[in-house]
Amino acid sequence: MSRGSFVFSPMALRSLEHDKDMLERCKYKRQLASRHLSSYMLKKEAMDKTPLRSSIAQLPAICQDLVIQNAFYTGDLEAMQRLFPRGSTANFVIEPQGGEMRWVARGEGLWSLTYEQDLTTPLHITAGRGFTECLRLLLQRGANVDLAPGGTTALHESCENCQPECTKLLLLHGANANAVSEDGLMPLHVCMSPESLECAKHLIQYGATINGRSLEEGDTPLHVAARNGLQDHVELYLRYGAAVDKQNDEGLTPLNAACSQPQELQDLGRYFKVCQMLLGAGADVHTMDQDKHTPLHMACKNVNPDIVDLLLAHNACVNDMDYGGEAPMHNILKVVGYKVSHDPERIVRALLNHGSIRVWPGALPTVLKHCSGSPRTIEVLLNAYSRLKVTDTWVESVSEDVLKKHKEFYESIFSLAMNPRSLQHLARCRLRTFLEGRVHRVVPKLDLPNFMKHYLLLEYRGYMH
């Protein structure tokens, strides 16, 4: 072993191999970008009918001058005006210094830490940071608006960073609204936040393809907007003719994509509005992805009660099975313990009122163990049965902390080990069995007091009887 070297553990070697693969991919990306650049110059030469050698001579040089780079990164317009007077050109590529350090193979089993960073251009830097006047100056000095040495154009950069003025300026100077990055994304695909709405409007105004698909996933801009809960983007794309039921490579429609996205409590409302718009535009609630998950499966898994109610109102099937043999009810019960604040009891109640299959009675202690943190969910679930065989296993399934917090409710359940269900409850079960999956439609129309209707629809009472 040579001086200054050391032995890597198997785990470290695997990590280095992973980094080596990443570096190979980065190298491939640079080669691909170089080919894109050469291809662009060849096409430009053909259009301009100039000799090949002139196009080669016009290939952008690489700038490593830190003074110039600093002017771009800080948006120093005065410095840029001095550095690029009238008649000069700003058409070059920048190789930034620094960046992330990676292990690089040096041969004979030796590795070293080296900085790696993608190539960029002055347009990318200024457009991504919103330096509109600096960007304007560079464009006036002949910077190539579609140059993509790092695999993306400056237009991608401005849209991804939500810089509408820069986006509009690039488009005014001929930027390709449908340019495809090396990751297979068009500028509309990188409009992923609410602040990017104006960028999306500019792109559509300048000819962006509303149903353009990404190369890797086959997503349309509507998929991206729905997945990110961007209601204004969804409304915009639908207004301009976006295909509401186009499936991506995983079989997801925009509606599936919206329902499948994990949602925090503060996100529930905007995802609901997205689904509402998609269904209003004719989205199909029955479309399944490759794993046979329907939008209802996904909405139950992510515990969005309003979306579940919406899907059920559009005749979603509560007993569709996925490839794993699970119905929407399985999906909601598996996550109740993690989403108590999302009101999972509303979903369980809605599914049962629409005729969902029930849990096998022998599995109720397991359900009780995982869902006991949501007493209302347990109440709704157990009130779907006319008889319950309460045993010591039930008592052991509820933790001491939960029992202490909801003592009255769980004691009412455990007391059923010695007592039958009430006659009132048995009458409710008999009527619900007779109505089967029509409970949600028939009960509201019955000539009964409201409190009786609510009781038949499994309203929460906070105790079992």
Side-chain angles (χ1 to χ4, degrees), residues 8-288:
F8 282 101
S9 67
M11 184 177 296
L13 286 172
R14 284 195 297 272
S15 177
L16 292 175
E17 287 295 328
H18 175 68
D19 277 346
K20 183 178 179 181
D21 291 340
M22 292 181 64
L23 288 172
E24 289 295 329
R25 288 196 293 271
C26 288
K27 181 180 178 182
Y28 170 75
K29 287 182 178 180
R30 290 192 178 190
Q31 291 173 345
L32 183 64
S34 178
R35 288 199 295 271
H36 288 332
L37 176 60
S38 299
S39 174
Y40 170 80
M41 297 305 298
L42 288 172
K43 290 178 182 178
K44 187 175 186 301
E45 174 205 6
M47 292 175 62
D48 297 341
K49 297 182 180 180
T50 56
L52 179 61
R53 58 180 176 274
S54 67
S55 67
I56 295 175
Q58 293 173 5
L59 284 173
I62 293 181
C63 172
Q64 295 180 324
D65 190 314
L66 295 180
V67 174
I68 296 177
Q69 290 186 23
N70 185 64
F72 298 141
Y73 282 109
T74 59
D76 191 338
L77 181 60
E78 292 184 4
M80 290 175 59
Q81 289 172 336
R82 291 195 304 270
L83 292 167
F84 302 101
R86 291 184 181 275
S88 63
T89 180
N91 191 37
F92 51 82
V93 173
I94 291 177
E95 186 173 19
Q97 302 299 311
E100 293 185 1
M101 295 190 74
R102 299 185 184 276
W103 286 102
V104 179
R106 296 301 184 188
E108 299 181 0
L110 299 178
W111 297 70
S112 67
L113 281 170
T114 304
Y115 284 109
E116 291 291 333
Q117 199 162 22
D118 288 336
L119 297 175
T120 187
T121 73
L123 292 188
H124 285 72
I125 297 170
T126 53
R129 287 163 173 75
F131 301 145
T132 308
E133 293 306 314
C134 296
L135 179 65
R136 192 189 313 276
L137 175 68
L138 293 169
L139 290 168
Q140 292 171 351
R141 299 298 185 266
N144 185 343
V145 73
D146 284 327
L147 194 61
T152 61
T153 66
L155 188 58
H156 285 91
E157 197 76 16
S158 67
C159 292
E160 186 173 359
N161 289 282
C162 310
Q163 303 294 347
E165 292 302 318
C166 292
T167 296
K168 184 177 182 180
L169 186 59
L170 289 167
L171 290 166
L172 282 170
H173 282 78
N176 182 2
N178 294 310
V180 180
S181 72
E182 64 185 12
D183 293 326
L185 303 176
M186 298 179 186
L188 272 181
H189 290 122
V190 300
C191 293
M192 298 183 181
S193 64
E195 294 77 19
S196 66
L197 178 63
E198 292 303 315
C199 293
K201 289 180 179 179
H202 292 319
L203 289 169
I204 293 174
Q205 182 182 357
Y206 283 85
T209 304
I210 197 67
N211 289 316
R213 294 165 66 94
S214 63
L215 296 185
E216 291 190 2
E217 291 89 12
D219 284 337
T220 66
L222 189 58
H223 280 94
V224 175
R227 184 177 294 114
N228 289 281
L230 305 179
Q231 57 200 64
D232 292 331
H233 289 66
V234 169
E235 182 181 11
L236 175 69
Y237 298 158
L238 291 174
R239 189 164 68 244
Y240 280 90
V244 73
D245 277 331
K246 188 178 287 293
Q247 292 177 272
N248 67 8
D249 293 343
E250 295 180 355
L252 297 171
T253 65
L255 179 62
N256 294 70
C259 294
S260 65
Q261 188 67 14
Q263 301 161 24
E264 298 299 328
L265 190 62
Q266 66 271 18
D267 299 327
L268 299 181
R270 59 192 182 94
Y271 277 97
F272 167 73
K273 291 178 181 177
V274 165
C275 292
Q276 196 174 39
M277 285 186 283
L278 292 171
L279 288 167
D284 186 358
V285 297
H286 305 296
T287 303
M288 297 181 176

